[in-house]
Amino acid sequence: MKITNDVLYILNKLAEAGYEGYIVGGCVRDSIMGIPPHDYDITTNALPDEIKKIFRRTVDTGIKHGTVTVLIDKTGYEVTTYRIDGEYGDFRHPSSVEFTGDIIKDLSRRDFTMNAIAYNPQKGYADPFFGRQDIEQKIIRGVREPDLRFKEDALRMLRCIRFSAQLGFDIEPQTYKALTQNCSLIQNVSIERITAEFLKLITAPYNEKILLFRESGLSDYCGEGLKKALSKREKEIAYLFGKIKKDEISALAVIFAEEKDAYDILKSLRLSNDIIRETMKLIKYYNSDVFCDIFTMRKILSEIGTESFLRLIDIKEAKNEGRINEAKLFISSEQRITKKDININGNDLLILGFKGMEIGKTIDRLLDFVFENPKNNTKEALTREALKWLH
Ligand code: ATP
Ligand code: MG
């Protein structure tokens, strides 16, 4: 198990002060699988105040839940006191947390056996639920009683499917059965938490597991939009997922392209305005013959930009539509002209006497003028043309 020097330093400092410390959760799981961890979480029997005494620079990021962020140079490491969750009254949040001195108790409140493993270089593994064995067999298994774990926090069901798509693991039968029986409880979880997991699922290496999201019944309770989109086209979506790049915007477009109220659905998922705008660009052209001729390609490129155009090529190639080679050649050639490349700008038009809305419209017309003949892209020619339209 590889551990960075910063993490070793934190574990050593805790030990010097007389406390236990382990790395835990995703970083241990990933290391066992040979994947470099994207961050390290540390768990300890030191209480938050004690952690703050041991380390010079700390931030109270989640002190109520026992988490203190320890800063080493510019990197923050979450150090969390062993805890047990109190009663869960509402299928999502424990009503209280309680600290404990026992690592095993801390591990037993975690979601899946593969996430309930702790490691310390001197003490070795704490793996009371045989998570390493499940990792080896590529199995996702709820800790202790899956049914209870899903009732305590319903988001765990979506995490289960998301991990299965990220790691390519199967879900252990009892765990899957419990998931199918508790699906409706996810309605108690905030849409923000659902969307964060959903985005990880649709961009995961095995994102065709979106089929499980549907088959288990879980997608029926994550909002009307998802329910509608996935109940009609789940096979087609999974098929296209297998072909397109793992990209959030393209994946969202593929899922919602056939929905008349796609924009409202994206809004209801509380996605950022940027993501919604980019996704809607692809949806607009999802079913149209975009690559029919150079003139059309130029117009669409200038409207949606290079990045979206490349995504459209990727999607249309997956859909096995025609003229893909022509589109690839087009985008890589110099034929690309967009508003930015035109040798006249809004300010020039203002000086010529254009006002307000006229300016944008005139630039669009000048773009057509340049499309017709690239030689028209000189300030003189564009000015002459623009003046013809000045009222
Ligand atoms: P990722 O690679 O996506 O970060 P991760 O396993 O680190 O995966 P996190 O959401 O960062 O996932 O959570 C860290 C750890 O906290 C998990 O490995 C798990 O032990 C525990 N955990 C997180 N969310 C839950 C939850 N909803 N219920 C129970 N345990 C959880
Ligand atoms: Mg993590």
Side-chain angles (χ1 to χ4, degrees), residues 4 12 26 33 35 89 111 123 165 191 206 225 256 263 281-283 296 327 334 340 371:
T4 64
N12 284 338
M33 294 179 68
I35 303 169
D111 46 7
K123 297 173 191 280
I191 194 68
Y206 303 89
F256 297 112
Y263 179 83
K281 284 183 187 172
L282 303 185
I283 291 182
T296 311
E334 315 143 324
K340 273 190 251 99
F371 284 159

Side-chain angles (χ1 to χ4, degrees), residues 301 304-311 331 336 338:
L301 173 63
I304 68 176
T306 309
E307 214 182 345
S308 301
F309 200 91
L310 289 169
R311 288 192 180 111
I331 196 79
R336 321 166 20 183
T338 70

